[in-house]
Amino acid sequence: MSPVSTEKWQNWAGNQQVTPRRVQVPRSTAEVAEAVRTAAADGLTVRMTGTGHSFTGAAIAEDLLLRPTGLTAVRSVDTASGLVTVEAGLPLHRMNKLLDEHGLALANMGDIQEQTVAGALQTATHGTGRDAAGLASQVAALELVLADGSVVTCSPDERPELFDAARAGLGALGVVTAITWKTVPSFLLRAQEAPMKWDEVLARVDEFDAANEHFEFYWFPHTEGCLTKRNNRVAGPAQPLSKFKGWLDDEFLSNTLFGGINKLTHRVPGAAPFVNGISAKALGARTYSDTSYKVFTSPRTVRFKEQEYAIPREQLVPALRDLRALFEKRDWRISFPIEVRLLPEEDAWLSMAYGRRSAFIAVHVYHRDPHEEYFRGVEDLMTSIGGRPHWGKMHTRDAAYLETVYPRFGDFRALRDELDPERRFANPYTRQVFGA
Ligand SMILES: Cc1cc2nc3c(=O)[nH]c(=O)nc-3n(C[C@H](O)[C@H](O)[C@H](O)COP(=O)(O)OP(=O)(O)OC[C@H]3O[C@@H](n4cnc5c(N)ncnc54)[C@H](O)[C@@H]3O)c2cc1C
C-alpha cells in the first residue's frame, strides 16, 4: 500500500472540503481490508471516495480517506453472459470504452462518465428511461469489505438483503471493492433534440414517454422554451455529429458560452430571463446517431451546484405547474435550465426510484451563485408530494423524513446496525440522513 501525505480533499463543485487525518491508496481488496482493520484498531472512521462528483458531503472522509485510483483493474469480461467484473475505482468512461471494445454496453446511464463505477453506484446514479433503469438495476454482484475487515460477496442468490441494500449503500455498509455489471450487447442510439414550447411538452409528456426509450427535457426558467431529447435504438451505420457541430453544440454553446453567460448573470442576476431566452433558441434541433454512451453522456465544464428530487411519475405535470407558479411568486433569477427525467421502478432499497415509476426534477445554480432560497423553495414543493432527494445532490432531509418515503429505510438501518455497529463508515452526511 502506498500512503500519501495528508492533504485537502474537495468535491467537483467545490462546496465540500475536508482535510482527512490519513490518506491511503489501496491497490487490492486485501489492502482495503487491512486499511479498514488498522483504522478500527486506531478508532478511525473510513471512507472511500470516487471522483468527488457528489454535491452532498456523501464522500467526506474525516479520518481515513481511501482514494480509489489503485483499484481500477478489469477482472473479467464474459461476452456470452454480458457479466463484466471491474474494480470499484474504474472510471465510467474507461468502462464504457472497454465494454464497447467487447461489443457490450450499459443499458442506461447518466449525463456524464467521469465518476468511478462505485461512486456512481453508491448514490444510485441514473439517466432517463422508459424500460431501462439506473445503475443500481444493472448490477449482478458486489464485493465489499465490511467494518470487521471481512471480504464478502453478495448477489440475488448470495446474501440477497445485503445486495439490495448495498447497491445504493452510500458507502455506509462497507467499502465496495468490485462490481459485476449486467451488460447488454452494444447498440447505437439515435438522438432527436428539438426545442418545444412549455405547454406542448406538458401536454405530450406521457406520449413522449410511451413512444421513446429515453425521453427527457430541459425547461429554461423565465421563458416558454424547452429543449426535448428523445433517444432510441437504431440500426447502423452511425451518423455522429461532425467534429465541428459537436464542438459547437457540446463544447462551445453548452459549456464555453454558457460559462460566460453564468459569469455575467452572477454579476447581473436580472439578466437571467433575457439570456435564457437566447439559450433556449441557440440550442436548436439536431439529429444524430452514435454509440450509446456517447449519446447518453456529454462534457460538463461549467461548475454548478445541483439538487434533484424523484417524485411519483404521475405527479410530474402538476409538480411542474406548481414549480412554474413558484417562479411567478418568488424573486428568483435562474440561469440554469431545469432538467426533467423519467425512470422505471427500481429494487435497490435506497434507489430514488425504489418501488415506483419516478420522474426526476433537477435544479441547478452556477457554483458561485447562492442556492439556498431557490433550492429550499423547490425542496418544499418536492417534499410535499413525497419526493426523494438524490443522495449525491444537495438537500436538507434527515432520517425522520427519509423513513417516511423509503419503505425499506428501517431495514437498511437495521442491517447497518448489524454490520457496522461502531459506525466505521460514518461521516457527517450519513449522520444527517441515517440519524446516527
Ligand atoms: C457534472 C455532474 C453531472 C452529474 N450527472 C448525473 C446524472 O446524470 N445522473 C445522476 O444520477 N447523477 C449525476 N451526478 C451525480 C453523480 O453521479 C453522483 O454524485 C455520483 O455519486 C458521483 O460519483 P463519484 O465517483 O464522483 O463518487 P463520489 O461523489 O466521490 O462518492 C459518492 C459516494 O460513494 C461513496 N463511494 C465511492 N466509492 C466507494 C466505494 N468503493 N465503496 C463504498 N463507497 C464508495 C462515497 O464515499 C460517497 O458516499 C452528476 C454530478 C456532476 C458533478
Side-chain angles (χ1 to χ4, degrees):
M1 164 145 11
S2 43
V4 293
S5 59
T6 300
E7 60 201 33
K8 190 169 117 183
W9 176 94
Q10 75 169 27
N11 67 343
W12 177 87
N15 64 325
Q16 305 286 344
Q17 297 168 348
V18 70
T19 303
R21 291 165 67 171
R22 284 185 203 165
V23 180
Q24 290 182 337
V25 189
R27 307 216 165 265
S28 64
T29 300
E31 288 192 359
V32 172
E34 184 195 316
V36 170
R37 279 193 294 268
T38 309
D42 295 345
L44 301 179
T45 57
V46 183
R47 193 147 270 267
M48 183 167 276
T49 59
T51 54
H53 276 70
S54 293
F55 301 88
T56 56
I60 291 279
E62 294 170 301
D63 292 347
L64 173 58
L65 162 64
L66 297 179
R67 287 203 179 275
T69 45
L71 275 184
T72 58
V74 176
R75 291 201 185 157
S76 63
V77 178
D78 182 344
T79 47
S81 66
L83 296 177
V84 174
T85 303
V86 301
E87 289 184 340
L90 188 71
L92 271 171
H93 60 87
R94 278 176 56 192
M95 187 169 81
N96 284 335
K97 279 210 185 74
L98 166 94
L99 295 180
D100 195 42
E101 282 159 19
H102 287 87
L104 300 171
L106 288 176
N108 198 359
M109 73 188 74
D111 288 345
I112 58 161
Q113 50 172 349
E114 305 311 309
Q115 313 95 313
T116 61
V117 290
L121 180 66
Q122 286 300 288
T123 63
T125 292
H126 66 93
T128 192
R130 181 190 58 203
D131 314 308
L135 293 184
S137 298
Q138 300 177 58
V139 171
L142 291 177
E143 179 187 88
L144 294 135
V145 172
L146 300 180
D148 61 4
S150 61
V151 179
V152 298
T153 51
C154 59
S155 70
D157 304 319
E158 188 184 3
R159 302 184 73 148
E161 297 239 309
L162 178 60
F163 181 68
D164 285 343
R167 274 180 284 155
L170 311 184
L173 299 178
V175 179
V176 176
T177 44
I179 302 170
T180 301
W181 295 94
K182 287 188 286 194
T183 69
V184 298
S186 58
F187 58 100
L188 296 177
L189 279 177
R190 178 165 186 263
Q192 285 172 278
E193 300 176 2
M196 203 172 281
K197 290 276 187 283
W198 163 273
D199 283 340
E200 183 176 357
V201 179
L202 263 58
R204 298 180 65 190
V205 65
D206 291 345
E207 171 197 333
F208 290 141
D209 186 12
N212 294 285
E213 289 166 276
H214 307 275
F215 173 68
E216 70 180 297
F217 68 95
Y218 294 86
W219 173 51
F220 293 85
H222 317 290
T223 78
E224 297 298 321
C226 296
L227 180 70
T228 58
K229 296 191 173 195
R230 285 168 270 181
N231 295 334
N232 289 287
R233 286 172 186 238
V234 69
Q239 294 181 310
L241 290 171
S242 72
K243 274 215 163 89
F244 175 72
K245 181 81 174 133
W247 170 84
L248 180 71
D249 291 351
D250 294 336
E251 297 282 350
F252 184 71
L253 290 178
S254 302
N255 285 301
T256 312
L257 182 63
F258 189 55
I261 285 174
N262 277 282
K263 281 187 189 135
L264 168 72
T265 54
H266 175 64
R267 288 202 309 274
V268 192
F274 174 69
V275 295
N276 284 4
I278 296 178
S279 300
K281 290 193 185 89
L283 292 168
R286 61 179 192 174
T287 300
Y288 63 96
S289 60
D290 213 334
T291 310
S292 57
Y293 75 86
K294 295 180 185 166
V295 175
F296 284 131
T297 65
S298 46
R300 292 275 193 279
T301 56
V302 181
R303 306 266 155 172
F304 55 82
K305 293 178 281 186
E306 181 174 351
Q307 173 183 270
E308 184 177 54
Y309 265 84
I311 58 171
R313 170 66 181 82
E314 61 278 10
Q315 299 272 6
L316 176 61
V317 170
L320 286 171
R321 290 197 202 289
D322 289 346
L323 178 58
R324 184 144 185 199
L326 272 182
F327 271 85
E328 310 297 325
K329 281 191 224 132
R330 309 281 175 95
D331 193 28
W332 297 335
R333 292 287 179 271
I334 304 303
S335 56
F336 264 78
I338 290 174
E339 186 178 19
V340 178
R341 294 182 279 186
L342 310 169
L343 218 63
E345 68 175 65
E346 300 202 274
D347 62 358
W349 291 351
L350 297 190
S351 283
M352 288 78 77
Y354 176 82
R356 66 189 195 197
R357 277 177 58 72
S358 299
F360 288 75
I361 299 180
V363 293
H364 315 69
V365 297
Y366 185 50
H367 69 122
R368 295 207 175 96
D369 286 347
H371 65 274
E372 289 79 2
E373 213 188 305
Y374 176 40
F375 284 9
R376 193 57 205 239
V378 177
E379 184 170 42
D380 285 347
L381 171 60
M382 297 300 146
T383 54
S384 72
I385 49 176
R388 298 171 180 161
H390 189 303
W391 298 109
K393 303 189 185 180
M394 296 166 76
H395 68 89
T396 66
R397 299 297 91 194
D398 61 12
Y401 174 82
L402 293 163
E403 70 184 357
T404 67
V405 291
Y406 280 100
R408 304 301 298 266
F409 199 74
D411 295 322
F412 187 98
R413 286 204 291 191
L415 189 59
R416 183 169 175 243
D417 287 343
E418 180 192 322
L419 296 177
D420 188 13
E422 292 175 2
R423 303 291 187 250
R424 188 71 43 225
F425 302 118
N427 67 8
Y429 185 67
T430 59
R431 285 178 210 117
Q432 173 195 332
V433 299
F434 297 122

